[in-house]
Amino acid sequence: IELQKKLREFFPKI
Amino acid sequence: MFEAKLQQGVIFKKIVDAIKDLVKSVNIDASTSGLSMQAMDSAHVALVSLKLNENGFKDYRCDRPITLGLSIENLSKILKCAGNDDTITLQTDEEEPSSLKFFFENQQASKISEFSLNLMSLDSESLGIPDTDYSSVIQMSSAEFSRICKELSSISETVEIETSKESVKFSVQGDIGAGSITVKNNQSDKDVDRVDLQIDQPVKLTFALRYLNMFNKAVSLSSTVSLNMSEENPLMVEYKIDDLGSLRFYLAPKISD
């Protein structure tokens, strides 16, 4: 199955 | 003092319509260079980023940077009162405004509406989006991409997008069966048929179609859309807004476990 990733795994919080 | 007058107020109406299913409340940051806004959906899977340049406005003045916290639902209610041919002016002369004024004027300036929207203080949870040199970029008709997403979402919630030098393939697999739509490079002079592929590196990424279908509510802003992808990266879907700026959507991929 495909797991939906979250954006913060790719973009750092500022 | 902040004032921004948009000649084609309908653009502002379309932007709000395009994002109202995705985000509930947003901070619009006004500065001397223009308006910008970044907001994520509640699941933090998708993000919308709006940039409107000051030179795209009929009048624009922003003495010092301010942040305008808006409820999209309430903003929608106010914008419903603007005609499609009206100019729309946003205005506040407070430094820490508690409300934002809206003026809608028809072409003959014979009907002028004035509204004041109470502002919210929202904690800004901004993400730093790096400027990415995407390895696969697809420019195509926004109506066509919207149609592909709608059609495929009747078969599965998830679409796999695979690029190669000469084509892009959208594939789905569901309980009822499977399907794929392959679109090739096409330099047609008809907008709806033209497809431009710039593939430096082929990619194969998987995304949830329900978010793509929400992004496609922005089709009325631009007849073309660009899909920007790199392996292991969120998809960036961009609608350029003529002479004004752009509305970008980012979507985190689904990774097969």
Side-chain angles (χ1 to χ4, degrees):
Chain A
I1 53 154
E2 289 103 0
L3 287 176
Q4 176 61 64
K5 307 297 273 180
K6 300 273 186 189
L7 281 173
R8 61 173 159 271
E9 298 174 61
F10 304 91
F11 300 148
K13 263 172 106 60
I14 48 177
Chain B
M1 164 72 172
F2 162 68
E3 181 164 300
K5 181 172 196 171
L6 195 56
Q7 180 67 35
Q8 289 181 290
V10 67
I11 292 177
F12 199 64
K13 284 163 70 89
K14 287 178 176 177
I15 291 170
V16 173
D17 280 347
I19 67 174
K20 70 180 185 225
D21 296 345
L22 193 66
V23 293
K24 295 288 162 259
S25 51
V26 301
N27 273 331
I28 292 186
D29 293 308
S31 70
T32 47
S33 61
L35 302 184
S36 66
M37 180 274 285
Q38 187 198 99
M40 278 191 283
D41 75 305
S42 52
H44 288 191
V45 166
L47 180 145
V48 56
S49 170
L50 173 71
K51 287 203 179 358
L52 302 180
N53 310 314
E54 56 83 25
N55 53 23
F57 289 84
K58 188 159 185 300
D59 302 321
Y60 188 90
R61 180 181 158 191
C62 185
D63 297 343
R64 64 179 46 82
I66 53 171
T67 296
L68 305 160
L70 299 163
S71 145
I72 291 294
E73 185 186 351
N74 297 344
L75 177 55
S76 258
K77 288 173 186 164
I78 295 232
L79 291 178
K80 286 259 179 307
C81 309
N84 283 341
D85 298 329
D86 287 359
T87 63
I88 293 186
T89 303
L90 283 61
Q91 198 259 346
T92 178
D93 39 23
E94 300 162 66
E95 278 189 25
E96 306 276 325
S98 57
S99 64
L100 180 63
K101 282 206 185 75
F102 289 80
F103 298 91
F104 307 146
E105 282 177 83
N106 68 355
Q107 299 288 315
Q108 308 85 333
S110 64
K111 175 185 171 191
I112 298 170
S113 312
E114 176 177 344
F115 292 91
S116 167
L117 180 63
N118 296 328
L119 294 175
M120 309 160 68
S121 58
L122 303 165
D123 60 333
S124 66
E125 44 181 18
S126 294
L127 295 186
I129 300 170
D131 273 340
T132 307
D133 201 3
Y134 290 98
S135 68
S136 279
V137 177
I138 300 151
Q139 297 261 6
M140 66 186 291
S141 145
S142 55
E144 190 55 23
F145 177 59
S146 175
R147 182 174 163 195
I148 289 172
C149 293
K150 264 198 198 73
E151 289 174 349
L152 295 181
S153 55
S154 62
I155 296 167
S156 169
E157 293 173 352
T158 302
V159 64
E160 179 188 82
I161 304 178
E162 181 175 11
T163 61
S164 69
K165 276 292 172 212
E166 67 286 332
S167 67
V168 53
K169 183 176 178 184
F170 303 90
S171 311
V172 286
Q173 196 155 1
D175 305 341
I176 68 167
S180 74
I181 297 175
T182 299
V183 174
K184 295 180 186 300
N185 246 320
N186 180 349
Q187 299 316 313
S188 152
D189 48 9
K190 277 172 61 187
D191 253 3
V192 71
D193 298 331
R194 188 177 314 121
V195 177
D196 264 331
L197 303 178
Q198 285 115 39
I199 311 297
D200 299 340
Q201 290 292 327
V203 299
K204 187 190 282 189
L205 290 165
T206 302
F207 299 101
L209 277 162
R210 78 181 194 86
Y211 286 101
L212 297 181
N213 286 327
M214 283 196 270
F215 298 171
N216 289 328
K217 293 205 184 314
V219 288
S220 61
L221 282 166
S222 168
S223 60
T224 57
V225 67
S226 76
L227 310 180
N228 302 265
M229 288 174 282
S230 286
E231 270 308 324
E232 308 268 313
N233 255 275
L235 161 70
M236 189 269 275
V237 179
E238 179 173 45
Y239 296 88
K240 286 197 185 332
I241 305 170
D242 288 342
D243 310 326
L244 185 57
S246 71
L247 183 61
R248 291 181 170 183
F249 296 97
Y250 294 83
L251 177 57
K254 298 179 90 167
I255 308 281
S256 40
D257 193 350

